Structure formats: C-alpha cells, structure tokens
Amino acid sequence: MRSQNNDSNSARRLVVSQGFLSVGATFASFGIDVWFYQSSGSYASFALIYIATVLPPILVSPFAGFVADRISKARILYLSQVCTIMLLATLAALYLADALHLAAIILCVFLMAVAGEFRYTATTALIPELVKEGDLASVNGIQQAFRGGVAILGPLLGAVGYRYFGLLSLLSVATFLAVYATYVTRALEGNACKAEGEIGVKSFFADYISGLAWLNGERQLKTVLMHFTLVFGFLSAFRTLTVPHVLDLKGEQLLAAVVSAQGAGMLFTGIMLARTRRQLNFESMVFLGCHVLGIAVALFGLSSHPLALVGTSFLIGACICVIGASNQGLWQSRTPKWLQGRMVAVRSITLYLLSPLAIYLSVPLADSVKKLTEDASIKFFTYGHLSWSGLLVVGLGIAISIVSAISHRSYKASGQVQTISQRIENAENGKDKTA
C-alpha cells in the first residue's frame, strides 16, 4: 500500500514539475514569437521558426523511444531539462549582446525541441509505470488541466512581462523555472523503474521491428495513427496562422487573451476529466473531440469580433484537451509496458510527419489567398470582413472535419480490437486468432 502511495506521489510530482517547465517554455515562446514577428514583419521567416519546432519529433523520436525502453526514463528527463536550461541561457545571452537573429533563434528552438522530444517520450512512457490502468484517465486529465492553467497564465503573464520588462525577463523566468523542474526530476530518479539493455544499432532495429510487428496487428490503432497524422498537420498550420491572424486584427493584447481562452478550455475540461472515477470510452472521446474541433477551427476563422475569437478559442482548447487525454489513454492502455517508449516514438513521428510540409505550404498559399482577398468578388462572397488568414483557417477547419468523418467510419468498420491483456494471454496460450 505504501509503495502504491509513493508511486502516486511520484506521478503528481512529475506532473507538477513538468507543468512548471511548461510555464517557462510558454514565456520564452510567447516572447520570441512576438519579438521576432514585430521586428521582422515577415511571415515566411516566422514560419521557419515553427518548422524548427516540428522537425525534431521526426528526426530524433525513434532514438528517444529506443533509449526510453533501455535506460532510466527519469535520467532522460533530468538530462533533457539540463539541456533546456543551457539553451534558454544562450538565448538570453545573445539577446543581451544584441546578436539574437533568425539563424540563432532557429538553432536554439530546434535544439530545445530535441530536448523536449526526449522529455515528452520519457514522461509519457513513465506514467503507466507509476499509476494503475484505471487511473490513466484521471492522471491524463490532471496533465491536461495543468496544461490549460499554463496556457492561461503563460500568455497573460508573458504579455505583461514582454510589454513592461522585455524579452530578457521572460527568458530569465523560463530559465529559473527550468532549474526548479530539473531539481524535482533529479529527486524522483530513485522512485522510477530502472530499464536495462544494450544500446546499439542491431538492438535498435530489432526493437523497432518487433514493435512495428505488434502495431501491425492492431488495426484500430493504425487507423487512429493515420487519422492523427492528418489532423495534427492541419492543426500545426492553424497554430502557425493564429499569431499573424490575431496580431493583424487587434494586436498582442488580444493574442494573449485568445491563447489564454484556449488554455481555459483545456483547464475546465481537464478538471472535469480529472474528477472522473470511472472507465471512459477513449475511442468515442477521440473522434467526438475531432469532429467538434473541425467546427470550432472554422468558426474561429470566420470570427473577427474579440468575444467571438475568445469564445471559439475556448472551445478549441476544450477539444484539444479531450483529444489529448483520450488519445494518450487509448495508447497507454493498449500498449505493453516494454513497448511504451517505442510506441510513443512511432506516434511522434507520424503525428509530426506532415506538420513541416503543412506549415511550409501555408506560405505560398498565404500569398495566393492575399491576392484573392483583394478581388471585389471574393470580398463579396466572404461578406467582406475575412482576412487572408481567416480564409485559410476556415479551410483548415473544413479539412479537419472531413478527415475525422472518414477516419471514424473506417475505425468502426475495422471492428472491435481485443485489449492488450487479452492479446498477451492468447499469445502465451497459442490461441491468438486475431488478424
């Protein structure tokens, strides 16, 4: 009983420490985004920074998943956070020296995303070791609620800090919070399970061959994986367009309110999930969240009034919370513990596979749409108030709705999949008759 309580406390400390680190990351990201966009006014250069944040999951997540299944996940967390501290300090030093330019920002953001990918993989794979399966929905709900709180406080405090104290203050606070999170993670290392195994090229490929063979037998999980690849690509383009869309309409004050409203939606929904004490239907929650998300994104693009932008942003945040918690719970409950790290890596690769392409294509598409919005007939068709970014956002919302409808139908057609415990039992008895 005491051991279970210790594991539960360890999970809480893990969530809180990562939450503080997320606060710092939000400060730094908000400050850099606003500072660079206002300094350069170039959406093409601004998009390059976003591309730098989505490349690492594709490039390094396979190694991160392999290492997470071979060595201590808590040690991976500690080392990745130390790297984050060094990179934040580097950004602050470059800003002080008036040497913070696009190339330096892209490099630091890219390396921080690499460290973040190791941290995300280790954290996601560690949670099932610390809690029972029945508590996954509640723990994931707590995570999403904390993310919502971070999204609320981060942009608001970031806007105040940037306006009155400047970018250096935000980078300094982010560094301090990363130091605290690193201290907490170091103390947790003794509570985590110690994974063991050789790290080599041969074992790397062997591990992923066995992991992909297992995934090949999970038809519904493969459908969810392909579905999220498309949806996340569209969502990445939407997030990239949100900053210029809101800044062009009202400025950074409304941007903070819009992003905070999205965090409020995540916080409210996360609290509701965290309070649940029953087994949830993760499959239904995943697709329901995606259906509503498509509608909410389209409404966001159609909105120009501040209240409408804030309201639709709240709904988007609620959908993201439901989707994130249910998708993570779905994979954690159906994946064997010895495969957790590798499956997190596979998910990261596929989720981010289309993100750089979607963001890159948004640049020439934005130029084309800008020209269309200058046409009188187009202005009449769109009631005259939609900007180029608004039209693109509406298109992304429609695309999310179409992909979600097709994937949901395919998921239902694939039939009911056995739980992972049943698969393991049947495999041991030589009676696994599933496809």
Side-chain angles (χ1 to χ4, degrees), residues 127-196:
I127 289 176
E129 296 181 2
L130 300 178
V131 300
K132 297 179 295 184
E133 181 177 337
D135 295 328
L136 285 175
S138 178
V139 172
N140 290 331
I142 293 173
Q143 283 187 302
Q144 298 297 326
F146 208 106
R147 285 180 58 195
V150 169
I152 295 173
L153 294 177
L156 288 176
L157 297 179
V160 173
Y162 181 82
R163 185 177 182 85
Y164 294 103
F165 301 102
L167 178 61
L168 181 62
S169 66
L170 299 183
L171 293 175
S172 300
V173 172
T175 304
F176 173 78
L177 293 175
V179 169
Y180 175 76
T182 304
Y183 168 77
V184 174
T185 302
R186 181 66 173 177
L188 289 176
E189 189 172 359
N191 296 42
C193 298
K194 305 293 183 181
E196 297 180 355

Side-chain angles (χ1 to χ4, degrees), residues 15-29:
V15 171
V16 172
S17 66
Q18 294 303 299
F20 277 114
L21 188 60
S22 297
V23 172
T26 303
F27 283 168
S29 177

Side-chain angles (χ1 to χ4, degrees), residues 164 330 379:
Y164 294 103
L330 177 64
K379 282 184 174 293

Side-chain angles (χ1 to χ4, degrees), residues 191-249:
N191 296 42
C193 298
K194 305 293 183 181
E196 297 180 355
E198 296 182 358
I199 297 179
V201 176
K202 184 177 180 180
S203 55
F204 175 86
F205 286 104
D207 280 6
Y208 273 101
I209 289 174
S210 63
L212 293 175
W214 173 84
L215 180 60
N216 189 51
E218 301 288 336
R219 295 182 59 190
Q220 287 187 321
L221 289 182
K222 287 193 297 182
T223 299
V224 171
L225 195 63
M226 290 184 289
H227 169 235
F228 271 83
T229 299
L230 296 172
V231 170
F232 196 80
F234 296 139
L235 193 58
S236 296
F238 164 73
R239 287 172 172 170
T240 307
L241 288 165
T242 297
V243 174
H245 179 61
V246 178
L247 287 178
D248 290 342
L249 285 176

Side-chain angles (χ1 to χ4, degrees), residues 64-324:
F66 170 71
V67 172
D69 288 334
R70 292 276 175 165
I71 66 176
S72 170
K73 299 175 181 62
R75 174 62 61 86
I76 296 173
L77 280 172
Y78 174 76
L79 294 176
S80 65
Q81 290 171 180
V82 169
C83 292
T84 301
I85 293 172
M86 296 174 62
L87 291 167
L88 286 170
T90 300
L91 285 171
L94 290 174
Y95 179 77
L96 278 175
D98 196 23
L100 189 59
H101 47 79
L102 178 61
I105 292 174
I106 290 177
L107 179 60
C108 289
V109 166
F110 177 82
L111 293 177
M112 282 195 294
V114 169
E117 183 60 26
F118 276 90
R119 186 172 64 249
Y120 167 77
T121 301
T123 302
T124 306
L126 181 59
I127 289 176
E129 296 181 2
L130 300 178
V131 300
K132 297 179 295 184
E133 181 177 337
D135 295 328
L136 285 175
S138 178
V139 172
N140 290 331
I142 293 173
Q143 283 187 302
Q144 298 297 326
F146 208 106
R147 285 180 58 195
V150 169
I152 295 173
L153 294 177
L156 288 176
L157 297 179
V160 173
Y162 181 82
R163 185 177 182 85
Y164 294 103
F165 301 102
L167 178 61
L168 181 62
S169 66
L170 299 183
L171 293 175
S172 300
V173 172
T175 304
F176 173 78
L177 293 175
V179 169
Y180 175 76
T182 304
Y183 168 77
V184 174
T185 302
R186 181 66 173 177
L188 289 176
E189 189 172 359
N191 296 42
C193 298
K194 305 293 183 181
E196 297 180 355
E198 296 182 358
I199 297 179
V201 176
K202 184 177 180 180
S203 55
F204 175 86
F205 286 104
D207 280 6
Y208 273 101
I209 289 174
S210 63
L212 293 175
W214 173 84
L215 180 60
N216 189 51
E218 301 288 336
R219 295 182 59 190
Q220 287 187 321
L221 289 182
K222 287 193 297 182
T223 299
V224 171
L225 195 63
M226 290 184 289
H227 169 235
F228 271 83
T229 299
L230 296 172
V231 170
F232 196 80
F234 296 139
L235 193 58
S236 296
F238 164 73
R239 287 172 172 170
T240 307
L241 288 165
T242 297
V243 174
H245 179 61
V246 178
L247 287 178
D248 290 342
L249 285 176
K250 300 296 180 180
E252 65 268 16
Q253 291 84 0
L254 181 60
L255 176 62
V258 167
V259 179
S260 298
Q262 186 177 121
M266 295 175 62
L267 175 62
F268 174 78
T269 310
I271 291 175
M272 298 302 294
L273 291 174
R275 292 172 62 88
T276 184
R277 291 297 181 269
R278 61 186 179 87
Q279 188 69 32
L280 300 178
N281 189 331
F282 293 130
E283 297 92 334
S284 298
M285 292 173 60
V286 163
F287 288 105
L288 176 61
C290 288
H291 296 327
V292 180
L293 176 64
I295 297 173
V297 169
L299 290 176
F300 183 88
L302 290 171
S303 303
S304 59
H305 192 277
L307 289 180
L309 288 169
V310 170
T312 52
S313 183
F314 180 92
L315 181 58
I316 290 172
C319 294
I320 292 175
C321 177
V322 171
I323 294 169

